[in-house]
Amino acid sequence: MNDHPLPALRNQLLSLHKLLMNAERAAYEAEGNEIRSPMEFLKLLMEHERFAWLRQLSQCVVMMDEAMEEKPPVTKERKDALVGEARHLLMGSEEPGSFAVRYEKARKHDAAVAAAHAEICKSWNS
């Protein structure tokens, strides 16, 4: 099952997560908030409401990591389900405040996020 898209998608989502964290951090600091250390930023990511939407993507990546480490190996059906969950997370909800809505806004305002999204979509369509 080395040809399953899950491992590559996991890596793409991790890169996307970093882009989104950096963009959200820049916006937070542009509002006059200072982040003095990596530990302070980590605490904000884990506890501050502003960064809560990013935790959903973090959880998605963690679920993929856990599934890929399962013994016996994760089934194709479970891998397919995780890919589907990622797709739904990124594009599945139009509810105000949902990850997908916040993510769409980020894609429109950040070329790097838009490019990362395009690469993810390409892998879904191949």
Side-chain angles (χ1 to χ4, degrees):
M1 281 192 225
N2 291 342
D3 60 342
H4 198 279
L6 184 66
L9 176 60
R10 179 257 180 218
N11 292 336
Q12 290 173 315
L13 292 177
L14 195 58
S15 296
L16 175 64
H17 186 263
K18 184 174 182 175
L19 290 171
L20 293 171
M21 283 189 319
N22 289 338
E24 196 67 31
R25 178 182 183 154
Y28 182 76
E29 290 179 325
E31 294 169 357
N33 302 299
E34 183 180 354
I35 300 175
R36 294 178 196 89
S37 70
M39 288 304 292
E40 183 179 350
F41 186 45
L42 180 60
K43 184 174 176 158
L44 287 169
L45 288 169
M46 293 184 343
E47 297 175 2
H48 197 283
E49 187 60 33
R50 173 176 192 130
F51 299 93
W53 71 285
L54 295 172
R55 291 182 213 127
Q56 294 174 62
L57 184 55
S58 305
Q59 290 169 347
C60 184
V61 171
V62 167
M63 286 189 321
M64 290 176 176
D65 287 343
E66 289 173 347
M68 290 187 296
E69 293 294 321
E70 286 180 8
K71 302 285 187 235
V74 65
T75 64
K76 180 185 181 310
E77 291 76 18
R78 179 70 178 129
K79 288 180 180 181
D80 290 345
L82 287 165
V83 170
E85 288 176 35
R87 183 187 298 249
H88 180 75
L89 178 65
L90 298 184
M91 304 182 334
S93 176
E94 295 181 12
E95 280 186 44
S98 71
F99 180 90
V101 169
R102 298 280 304 267
Y103 176 59
E104 182 178 7
K105 186 189 297 186
R107 287 193 332 253
K108 288 179 180 177
H109 291 97
D110 189 315
V113 171
H117 178 77
E119 285 300 311
I120 291 169
C121 288
K122 245 195 277 186
S123 71
W124 280 334
N125 297 324
S126 55

